[in-house]
């Protein structure tokens, strides 16, 4: 968990990295909790009691199971290198939290613990300067531990007082006894027992907030929309439950990324997300609900009219995002506020760049007639074109981008396309050629330097298409015999529910981020290691109502190869023959 969150908050990351970070979030969270995981009998049928102690300003929480079979399955995911990263984080946690304070997990912790733990993170403004100066990358802001055997848990404090050289300070806050370490040369912790729960934090301020919550202040579990969302996605087979307070999470990310406050706060996004995490044979499945808070600035429709355009994409497609309404998608994209600081191209920069290079106003000249379904895909060049020795595009480019949009006003679309062709000819002196690809008429431009090719044309059903990059138009027309939705990899990755849906996302991580064929920028070492543990990512989204969205995300992971059983040796096989 902290592995994913801390690495994300160190600096800006691309939107793709944000997505696959979600895939490894639970794995990292498991490392953080491995030695501390507990479970408490749930008093309310759909809400974990521990979240009722977490203050409402937590931006991320995870309640994680310790079922041994699930952990065995989890530890089979990924590559040897990715598992080594997790093992390193585990060793650091054990050293900082247990060994350094004279505790042994098997002897001192396990006897009184249950089966789940809740971990919580808070934004930097909620932490003291002393905590912010520490680089405890695996330690969460708060750990809530249910106690099954209170007497044995209290032995923890007796042992602490009896240890020579260990200094503990006791204080009282609102009638609750708080125990704090007082060692200048090591990490400090605050601990309190609240009923049948033991809470641990490296920040006294957080412990005081937890006690306030215990005494009646607003908790995470009592926030508007939380209980209803948890009730809809709860399952007995889940490995974890996650919660993200998106405004606080994005503010923390922007703070660590040193964004300008006025930029990130210009359009505050009031959204929360909860999701259950289930371990499947081939990867990790997330089922969740996101909801906008009352009086949110976002105003979206309740229409679930998913796109059929993925049916027009070839089976070789590397990645795609599709939806039933491009205007609704753009509205949501522009409402992200601080999230745009994590995306390589913000909406403002995208529109400014389009205006500067092509003289087009995105919303007036283009989006005005793009009111239907859409699909944006990354498509590789065909093997035949790549095999051509004199092909000028194969060296710098291995794939192209294709955009398909169903238009609402064809005459306006044609006028804009003509304006675009005139600009390319007059301002950039590039040849604009009316040509045919597999018998389909279209317009093509080609840059003499860099081998960048662009085309646009029409498909049946008032669908306009654009391609940019490598010459991939021949992959789209005529409609491929083997389409993306027929590809086994797509079918095994992209969830079929919710159905009907608003949109879908698919990324073949192995053939994009993990491949050298596309000449992409290399990821930092640790992120590259985590990416190499992933095969594919699939997402399906649907609107519940104008303020709530349901989604299913599946991350197909590589798995540890199972050792083959040695062949049985028959008696006498090893004896020398006469």
């Amino acid at each position: 968990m902290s592995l994913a969150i801390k690495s994300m908050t160190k600096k800006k990351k691309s939107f793709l990295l944000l997505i696959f970070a979600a895939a490894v979030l639970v794995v990292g969270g498991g490392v953080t909790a491995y030695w501390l995981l507990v479970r408490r009998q749930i008093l309310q049928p759909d809400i974990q009691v521990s979240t009722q102690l977490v203050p409402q300003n937590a931006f991320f929480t995870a309640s994680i199971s310790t079922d041994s079979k699930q952990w065995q399955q989890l530890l089979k995911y990924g590559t040897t290198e990715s598992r080594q990263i997790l093992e390193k984080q585990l060793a650091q946690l054990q050293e900082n939290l247990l060994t350094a304070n004279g505790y042994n997990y098997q002897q001192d912790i396990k006897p009184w613990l249950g089966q789940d733990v809740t971990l919580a993170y808070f934004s930097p403004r909620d932490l003291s300067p002393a905590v912010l100066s520490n680089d405890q990358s695996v330690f969460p802001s708060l750990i809530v531990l249910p106690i099954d055997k209170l007497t044995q848990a209290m032995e923890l404090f007796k042992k602490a007082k009896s240890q020579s050289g260990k200094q503990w300070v006791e204080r009282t806050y609102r009638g609750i006894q708080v125990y704090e370490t007082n060692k200048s040369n090591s990490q400090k912790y605050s601990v309190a027992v609240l009923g049948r729960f033991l809470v641990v934090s490296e920040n006294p301020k957080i412990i005081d907030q937890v006690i306030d919550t215990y005494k009646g202040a607003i908790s995470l579990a009592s926030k508007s929309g939380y209980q209803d969302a948890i009730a809809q996605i709860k399952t007995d087979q889940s490995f974890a439950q996650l919660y993200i307070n998106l405004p606080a999470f994005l503010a923390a990310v922007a703070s660590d990324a040193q964004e300008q406050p006025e930029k990130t706060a210009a359009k505050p996004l009031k959204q929360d997300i909860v999701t259950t995490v289930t371990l499947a044979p081939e990867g990790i499945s997330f089922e969740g609900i996101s909801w906008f808070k009352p009086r949110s600035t976002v105003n979206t429709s309740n229409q679930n009219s998913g796109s059929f355009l993925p049916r027009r994409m070839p089976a070789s497609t590397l990645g795609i995002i599709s939806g039933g309404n491009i205007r609704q998608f753009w509205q949501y994209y522009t409402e992200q506020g601080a999230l745009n600081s994590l995306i390589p191209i913000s909406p403002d920069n995208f529109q400014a760049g389009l205006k500067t290079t092509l003289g087009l106003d995105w919303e007036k000249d283009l989006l005005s007639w793009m009111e239907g379904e859409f699909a944006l895909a990354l498509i590789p060049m065909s093997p035949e074109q790549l095999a051509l020795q004199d092909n000028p595009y194969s060296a710098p480019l291995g794939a192209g981008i294709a955009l398909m949009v169903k238009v609402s006003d064809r005459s306006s679309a044609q006028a804009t396309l003509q304006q675009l062709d005139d600009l390319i000819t007059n301002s950039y002196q590039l040849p604009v050629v009316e040509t045919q690809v597999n018998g389909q008429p279209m317009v093509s431009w080609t840059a003499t330097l860099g081998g960048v090719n662009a085309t646009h044309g029409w498909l049946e059903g008032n669908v306009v298409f654009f391609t940019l990059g490598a010459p991939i138009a021949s992959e789209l027309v005529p409609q491929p015999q083997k389409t993306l939705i027929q590809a086994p990899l797509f079918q095994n990755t992209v969830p079929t529910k919710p159905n009907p849906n608003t949109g879908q996302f698919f990324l073949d991580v192995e053939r994009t981020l993990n491949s050298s064929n596309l000449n992409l920028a290399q990821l930092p070492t640790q992120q590259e290691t985590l990416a190499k543990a992933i095969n594919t990512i699939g997402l399906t989204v649907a609107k519940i109502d104008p303020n709530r969205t349901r989604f299913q995300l599946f991350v197909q992971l590589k798995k540890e190869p199972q050792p083959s059983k040695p062949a049985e040796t028959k008696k006498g096989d090893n004896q020398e023959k006469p």
Side-chain angles (χ1 to χ4, degrees):
M1 169 186 325
S2 57
L3 177 61
I5 292 180
K6 289 290 185 179
S7 62
M8 278 195 318
T9 57
K10 291 293 184 183
K11 52 186 177 180
K12 292 183 180 180
K13 302 298 183 291
S14 70
F15 186 54
L16 292 180
L17 295 182
L18 185 63
I19 293 173
F20 81 72
V24 299
L25 199 59
V26 176
V27 179
V31 171
T32 306
Y34 186 81
W35 296 95
L36 298 169
L37 301 178
V38 299
R39 184 181 184 92
R40 172 69 180 165
Q41 181 68 31
I42 298 175
L43 301 181
Q44 298 184 24
D46 298 312
I47 305 298
Q48 288 184 304
V49 175
S50 53
T51 62
Q52 299 178 42
L53 293 176
V54 177
Q56 64 170 335
N57 56 326
F59 71 77
F60 181 88
T61 69
S63 299
I64 307 172
S65 170
T66 55
D67 180 87
S68 59
K69 293 182 179 179
Q70 294 209 58
W71 275 97
Q72 290 173 7
Q73 182 174 353
L74 180 69
L75 295 176
K76 294 178 181 179
Y77 295 139
T79 63
T80 301
E81 292 75 17
S82 67
R83 285 190 292 273
Q84 288 175 348
I85 291 178
L86 302 185
E87 290 171 0
K88 181 179 179 180
Q89 297 291 328
L90 172 60
Q92 183 180 346
L93 173 68
Q94 182 182 5
E95 172 63 29
N96 292 339
L97 187 59
L98 298 179
T99 307
N101 291 288
Y103 295 116
N104 177 277
Y105 172 74
Q106 294 292 337
Q107 296 177 4
D108 303 313
I109 309 297
K110 185 177 179 180
W112 55 267
L113 289 182
Q115 300 173 0
D116 280 348
V117 67
T118 294
L119 312 175
Y121 285 81
F122 295 82
S123 60
R125 66 174 178 271
D126 297 315
L127 303 177
S128 64
V131 173
L132 289 174
S133 64
N134 292 323
D135 187 22
Q136 297 295 105
S137 61
V138 301
F139 198 83
S141 305
L142 172 68
I143 304 177
V144 181
L145 307 170
I147 301 172
D148 278 348
K149 299 178 181 179
L150 184 59
T151 303
Q152 291 182 325
M154 298 308 293
E155 292 293 327
L156 216 62
F157 301 102
K158 293 182 181 179
K159 180 176 181 178
K161 294 179 179 180
S162 66
Q163 291 175 336
S164 60
K166 304 295 182 182
Q167 299 181 27
W168 284 80
V169 176
E170 297 182 22
R171 66 180 176 91
T172 301
Y173 179 76
R174 299 190 67 177
I176 300 296
Q177 199 77 10
V178 179
Y179 303 85
E180 297 177 340
T181 58
N182 185 26
K183 298 181 293 181
S184 59
N185 61 343
S186 65
Q187 185 69 19
K188 298 181 179 181
Y189 301 101
S190 296
V191 182
V193 176
L194 304 176
R196 303 290 298 188
F197 293 89
L198 186 143
V199 292
V200 182
S201 177
E202 56 183 351
N203 187 356
K205 183 179 178 181
I206 295 297
I207 288 293
D208 291 349
Q209 290 184 25
V210 174
I211 294 174
D212 290 339
T213 304
Y214 179 69
K215 293 287 187 176
I218 299 176
S219 69
L220 169 64
S222 61
K223 291 181 67 173
S224 175
Y226 180 87
Q227 294 191 26
D228 180 65
I230 288 291
Q232 293 189 55
I233 62 174
K234 184 176 176 60
T235 172
D236 294 335
Q237 301 300 319
S238 66
F239 174 72
Q241 281 186 4
L242 309 181
Y243 164 79
I244 299 176
N245 178 334
L246 204 53
F249 174 78
L250 296 176
V253 172
S255 174
D256 281 350
Q258 298 182 348
E259 289 296 318
Q260 295 296 325
E262 61 271 16
K263 175 181 177 181
T264 59
K267 294 180 179 179
L269 181 66
K270 300 177 180 179
Q271 186 177 8
D272 296 84
I273 300 172
V274 294
T275 178
T276 56
V277 183
T278 305
L279 305 184
E282 299 301 323
I284 300 177
S285 176
F286 300 76
E287 181 176 4
I289 291 176
S290 68
W291 69 97
F292 294 106
K293 297 179 181 178
R295 298 183 299 277
S296 170
T297 58
V298 177
N299 182 21
T300 60
S301 69
N302 190 29
Q303 184 178 8
N304 286 316
S305 54
S307 176
F308 285 90
L309 294 180
R311 301 173 185 271
R312 297 179 182 265
M313 299 295 181
S316 61
T317 299
L318 301 172
I320 187 172
I321 182 169
S322 64
N325 189 314
I326 191 170
R327 291 177 66 87
Q328 180 176 314
F329 175 81
W330 176 255
Q331 179 191 5
Y332 182 81
Y333 180 62
T334 57
E335 291 283 354
Q336 296 306 299
L339 180 58
N340 293 325
S341 66
L342 305 177
I343 301 173
I345 302 178
S346 70
D348 291 341
N349 290 339
F350 170 76
Q351 293 184 89
L354 194 67
K355 186 71 174 180
T356 300
T357 57
L358 300 179
L360 296 175
D361 185 293
W362 166 247
E363 294 190 356
K364 292 181 180 179
D365 298 329
L366 294 167
L367 201 60
S368 61
W369 46 263
M370 293 181 176
E371 295 185 355
E373 58 184 299
F374 73 97
L376 179 66
L378 180 65
I379 300 174
M381 292 180 65
S382 66
E384 292 77 15
Q385 287 182 312
L386 284 172
L388 296 177
Q389 296 297 319
D390 58 348
N391 179 19
Y393 312 109
S394 59
L397 299 171
I401 296 173
L403 172 65
M404 293 184 183
V405 181
K406 189 169 185 178
V407 306
S408 57
D409 186 345
R410 183 159 180 157
S411 61
S412 295
Q414 289 176 324
T416 300
L417 294 177
Q418 185 60 55
Q419 179 183 348
L420 187 60
D421 292 339
D422 293 341
L423 177 76
I424 294 298
T425 300
N426 299 328
S427 298
Y428 293 96
Q429 286 78 49
L430 295 180
V432 177
V433 180
E434 293 186 3
T435 184
Q436 288 193 350
V437 175
N438 295 330
Q440 178 78 23
M442 62 185 65
V443 176
S444 175
W445 330 319
T446 302
T448 55
L449 297 177
V452 177
N453 174 270
T455 60
H456 64 76
W458 291 91
L459 303 174
E460 65 275 10
N462 276 343
V463 174
V464 66
F465 73 89
F466 303 83
T467 71
L468 179 67
I472 57 171
S474 60
E475 299 298 303
L476 303 176
V477 293
Q479 182 168 330
Q481 293 184 347
K482 295 182 179 179
T483 65
L484 176 62
I485 65 169
Q486 296 172 326
L489 199 59
F490 181 89
Q491 293 178 344
N492 294 334
T493 302
V494 179
T496 58
K497 294 180 179 180
N499 185 27
N501 63 72
T502 304
Q504 293 184 313
F505 170 84
F506 168 75
L507 178 65
D508 188 332
V509 178
E510 185 65 13
R511 291 194 296 152
T512 52
L513 297 179
N514 297 340
S515 172
S516 60
N517 295 333
L518 301 182
N519 298 307
L520 298 176
Q522 187 172 359
L523 297 173
T525 302
Q526 183 165 293
Q527 295 171 12
E528 181 181 12
T529 300
L530 295 175
K532 288 186 179 298
I534 302 173
N535 283 324
T536 55
I537 299 173
L539 172 69
T540 300
V541 179
K543 297 294 295 183
I544 300 175
D545 55 44
N547 289 320
R548 293 184 300 162
T549 299
R550 193 181 190 106
F551 66 88
Q552 286 194 13
L553 170 70
F554 182 70
V555 182
Q556 188 183 88
L557 298 169
K558 295 176 182 176
K559 298 181 68 175
E560 180 181 22
Q562 299 299 312
S564 57
K565 295 182 179 180
E568 295 184 2
T569 302
K570 296 181 180 181
K571 185 176 181 181
D573 281 356
N574 293 330
Q575 299 178 359
E576 293 184 2
K577 295 182 181 180

